[in-house]
Every structure is written in C-alpha cells, then in structure tokens.
Amino acid sequence: MVDAIIIGAGQAGPPLAERLTAAGMSVAVVERKLFGGTCVNTGCTPTKTLIASARVAQMARRAAEYGVVLDGPVRIDMARVKARKDEVSGRSRQNVERWLRGMPNCRVLQGHARFESPGSVRVGDELLTAERIFLNVGARAAIPDMPGVRDVDLLTSGTILDLDHVPRHLVVVGGSYIGLEFAQMYRRFGAEVTVVEKGERLIGREDPDVSDAIRELLEKEGVTVRLSANCIRFARHADGVEVGVNCTSGTPSVVGSHVLLAVGRTPNTDDLCLDRAGVVTDSRGFVTVDDKLRTNVPGIWAMGDCNGRGAFTHTAYNDFEIVAANLLDGDPRSVDDRIQAYALYTDPPLARVGMTDEAVRRSGRRALVGQRAMTRVGRAVEKGEAQGFMRIVVDADSQEILGAAIIGPGGDEAIHGVLDMMYAKAPYPTLQRAVHIHPTVAELLPTLLGELKPLE
C-alpha cells in the first residue's frame, strides 16, 4: 500500500511525484519503457536536435549569400547527426530516471501496469494499491487502417529517429505539424521529399494564408507538396514503396525509398485494463476528464497526451500544475483557464496563440487586425530570413487580445509577449505602449497594434 501510484514517467508524472513526496506521501512510479515520455525520447528533444543540425546544413549552403566562402559542397554525416541526437536525448532520459530514483519516499518500478480494480494496479507479479492513481501514459503514432498499410515497411515519427542514413526519397504522408518538420529537415539533409496530404491545404486547422506561407517556404527549398490526396494507399515497389495519391493534378502515385506515416496520435490506454477500474474513455481511447483532470472514477486522474486535452509538453506539465494545485494547495486551477499556444518548428517557425482569424469571424465578434510581412521587419531582413509575416487580432469593443500568429525568425519566442498579455487579461493598448528592444522581431508587436484595421 502506497499513498499514490503514478503510471508513466512523462512530463507530468515526475514533477507530481516530487510534489507528493514533499508533502509526505509515499509514491510508486511505474514506467514500462523510457523515462521522460514522448518529449524526451521521440518528440521535442530528439526532433529539435535534428532540426538544429538541418539548419546548420542549410545555412552552410547559403554561406555565399553572407559573404562566407566554403571550399566544397556541404556533406551530411548522418551517423554523426544521429549520434548527437542520441546523446542529447539520452542525457535527458537519464536525468529524469536519476531524479526519480533519488527521490525520497518514491519507489520506481519498471514494467507494464494494468488495473485490477479502481484502487489497485498490477506490475508483473506485484500488486500495488493506493487511494490516488495518476495516469501519465502518453500517446504514440497512429497507424490507421489504410489500404496496403500492413503490406509495406513504413516509418513513424518514432522509428524514423533510428535512421543513420539519408533516404533517397522520403514520402511524408500527412501534411500537418509532425510531418512538415520531418519534411523540411530531411530535405535539408539532402533527401528528395514529397509531402502527401489528404486535405486541400497543409496544416488545415490554420488560417489559409498561414497554410500557404508554410507551403511556400517548403516548396522554395525543393519539397514537393501533393494535396487533395483522396485515395491514399500503399504497395510494394522495386524502388521502395508506392504511395497512391489520386490528387486533382499530377501523377496518380509517387514512389519513395522511405515512407513516413504522420497522420495523428493515439493514446497509450488500450492495454491498461481501464475497464476493470471503470475508467471511461472516448471513441478514440482518450481518458475522459473534467476541468481538474479527474476521471469519472474518484481517486483516478489522467494527465498529458492520454486525456486528449492537450498534445504538447507544455500542456502536460500544466496538467501536473493543475492537479497539484487542486490536491495540495487548495488552488482551484482549471484546464479551462489554458490559452491555446503552440509552434510548428519549421525554419522559420510558425508560432500561434489564441484564436485564428477564421475562428474570430465565426464567433461574430467585431474585431481588428494588424499584420506585417517579415520583409518589413528589420531583424528578419538583417538575418536574411524575411519569409513569413506576423499578425495579431483583437476585440474591437473589449480591447481583448484574441489571437496572434508569427511566421518568422524567433517567432516561437516573440509570441510570448502576446501570450503573457492574454493571461494577464490586459487590454491591447498595454502592449501597444510597451517599449521593446531594437532590433528584434517582438518590437513590431506594438507597431501592429498601432496599425489595426477591421477584420473582414
């Protein structure tokens, strides 16, 4: 018997274990595979490390634009690129495990946890019981039942990280956030890259001009984009894998030496025996929770990707904060207080907070918008990275900041100036009157707010 069981050592579980043990509770943490969860092992840490290598390669190719002379073409040593990624990711993983194993009153078990009742979990031959159980089991790459998908060798966002060579032709099925990061990355490593997307445009949840801007920057680097792929299918081919497209234009199929399937995520809840505990999930397997992350069963919470309330490291960590605040601090924090914020780590990145323009229009609000191309942002021009634009939308009546998008250098950092104002519930003139450092991208945010026009 322990006071709390935490299943999964992702981004929410370990800090919660620290808070619970500091409060005098005994805690058992169960991890069946890799400490640190998706972020450390197959998500943020390894992919952003690879993206950094790909950016260096691209800047080396552009060296002459900056007056820098190289004595030969850029060459990619993919084995060394992978080794660097493995070292960075591995160090983070080891740090998480070391942290947990050195935590007083915390017992770490490695194995597959399965519920036997609402208050008991079996790990191998051992039965654990607790009044409080927290799920932090994450998600994995989805493999839908598409024609031929079981007949060919496909890569996922996890298995592609094991490559120690550059594919001749990488076909990325799925034109959303994960797929596009790998598409640009491997194009910069030297692969031919084709993106196949079922929808009419890339990253379909974004405003159309945002989607167009991302497509433009990818195509500029030589990535082929195939949209409206209404009959995606897979078949073996002498040169690798044939991917059926059936787009409105172009050849009906494309052959890749490697194919990355990046069409969403599925929660790791299907083998936890949740039915024995009576825990309810939705049709896709995500654990149903309320605004405090409580499941329908008293004493069981779900945090991170497995609850369907956020698919990011920062939302998973915020889930920990919400649970700890309510359980230990008497602070009624809620997931409903969270403002949507995320980034697509193409280069330059797309950073987004709050509502899209389309969502604002649908809301019926009277809104104002300010927008500026990166060609009119001094810092972007000076760096030779003037692709994209920045935009902010506000409520014309309440002066509330509703949302913003930045596609440009440092956009993933600059966007926080907007996000902080939104959390502070400050009217937009507060940001408009701020004096920012020059030269930066963020310094143009006040300028945008001084150039607002009605959102049409």
Side-chain angles (χ1 to χ4, degrees):
M1 177 75 176
V2 291
D3 294 315
I5 300 169
I6 299 173
I7 303 175
Q11 294 302 301
L16 181 61
E18 184 175 57
R19 284 296 313 273
L20 294 176
T21 55
M25 297 185 195
S26 58
V27 177
V29 176
V30 184
E31 174 53 56
R32 69 166 138 185
K33 193 173 182 183
L34 300 175
F35 291 85
T38 298
C39 176
V40 166
N41 296 289
T42 59
C44 317
T45 300
T47 59
K48 277 52 185 178
T49 304
L50 291 173
I51 286 170
S53 293
R55 174 174 166 78
V56 171
Q58 183 70 2
M59 293 308 295
R61 293 187 186 97
R62 295 183 59 198
E65 298 176 31
Y66 297 85
V68 177
V69 179
L70 301 181
D71 293 329
V74 174
R75 295 184 296 112
I76 303 297
D77 184 340
M78 199 62 198
R80 290 177 64 182
V81 169
K82 178 180 180 296
R84 177 177 180 271
K85 177 266 297 179
D86 289 343
E87 193 277 330
V88 173
S89 179
R91 186 169 62 243
S92 295
R93 179 170 57 251
Q94 292 163 13
N95 287 342
V96 173
E97 183 174 1
R98 188 180 303 115
W99 175 30
L100 285 169
R101 293 191 182 281
M103 200 175 287
N105 299 320
C106 179
R107 183 183 173 205
V108 176
L109 295 88
Q110 288 193 265
H112 186 169
R114 295 179 176 88
F115 279 93
E116 293 220 340
S117 73
S120 64
V121 173
R122 182 170 295 281
V123 183
D125 296 329
E126 185 166 358
L127 185 66
L128 303 173
T129 60
E131 293 183 357
R132 305 173 187 86
I133 300 177
F134 304 90
L135 303 177
N136 183 215
V137 296
R140 62 187 183 275
I143 304 178
D145 188 18
M146 307 167 79
V149 73
R150 309 294 177 186
D151 302 329
V152 298
D153 293 327
L154 299 174
L155 297 168
T156 67
S157 57
T159 60
I160 194 172
L161 298 175
D162 296 329
L163 289 183
D164 60 1
H165 61 279
V166 177
R168 177 184 56 78
H169 182 184
L170 176 65
V171 177
V172 179
V173 178
S176 197
Y177 306 91
I178 293 173
L180 297 186
E181 290 182 7
F182 279 109
Q184 185 184 49
M185 174 203 308
Y186 271 94
R187 179 60 188 151
R188 290 180 166 191
F189 286 147
E192 179 183 353
V193 176
T194 300
V195 175
V196 177
E197 166 56 35
K198 182 178 180 180
E200 295 180 356
R201 53 191 177 88
L202 301 177
I203 45 175
R205 68 186 291 181
E206 305 296 341
D207 286 316
D209 59 346
V210 171
S211 297
D212 291 344
I214 295 298
R215 177 180 178 178
E216 180 181 338
L217 72 87
L218 291 173
E219 290 182 332
K220 185 177 180 180
E221 294 190 14
V223 175
T224 300
V225 176
R226 300 290 304 274
L227 302 175
S228 300
N230 51 36
C231 191
I232 299 174
R233 62 195 183 282
F234 305 94
R236 294 178 183 175
H237 191 278
D239 293 326
V241 178
E242 180 180 12
V243 181
V245 181
N246 283 5
C247 295
T248 55
S249 62
T251 56
S253 65
V254 59
V255 176
S257 60
H258 298 68
V259 175
L260 168 63
L261 192 60
V263 291
R265 309 276 293 171
T266 189
N268 295 320
T269 58
D270 53 319
D271 57 0
L272 300 178
C273 299
L274 293 176
D275 56 318
R276 296 179 184 173
V279 174
V280 172
T281 61
D282 67 14
S283 60
R284 296 187 296 162
F286 291 100
V287 178
T288 302
V289 295
D290 64 12
D291 67 318
K292 304 295 192 294
L293 290 315
R294 298 171 296 202
T295 71
N296 64 299
V297 178
I300 302 179
W301 291 256
M303 308 176 295
D305 292 3
C306 71
N307 65 27
R309 300 297 293 269
F312 306 101
T313 294
H314 53 277
T315 54
Y317 188 84
N318 182 236
D319 283 357
F320 141 68
E321 294 176 315
I322 291 168
V323 170
N326 282 275
L327 194 61
L328 302 173
D329 304 331
D331 182 357
R333 294 181 65 173
S334 166
V335 71
D336 293 338
D337 298 331
R338 194 153 64 205
I339 297 170
Q340 180 171 252
Y342 56 86
L344 163 63
Y345 285 94
T346 49
D347 180 28
L350 159 66
R352 276 264 299 105
V353 296
M355 302 171 73
T356 62
D357 285 13
E358 292 294 327
V360 173
R361 291 187 185 97
R362 289 194 302 269
S363 74
R365 296 174 185 245
R366 222 169 47 89
L368 303 172
V369 61
Q371 181 164 323
R372 175 171 289 232
M374 282 294 159
T375 53
R376 298 179 60 214
V377 177
R379 185 62 173 151
V381 174
E382 293 153 6
K383 296 179 72 173
E385 300 175 12
Q387 298 181 86
F389 60 86
M390 55 198 308
R391 178 167 64 222
I392 190 165
V393 184
V394 305
D395 190 298
D397 299 311
S398 69
Q399 297 188 328
E400 175 188 0
I401 299 174
L402 301 177
I406 302 177
I407 306 172
D412 53 322
E413 297 287 351
I415 200 77
H416 289 88
V418 178
L419 184 59
D420 292 345
M421 289 290 106
M422 294 174 72
Y423 273 113
K425 301 186 185 302
Y428 75 79
T430 303
L431 178 56
Q432 181 184 350
R433 294 167 185 167
V435 179
H436 286 190
I437 296 170
H438 174 81
T440 60
V441 172
E443 70 170 318
L444 273 299
L445 292 171
T447 303
L448 290 183
L449 292 170
E451 301 173 344
L452 295 174
K453 298 177 181 179
L455 178 65
E456 298 177 352

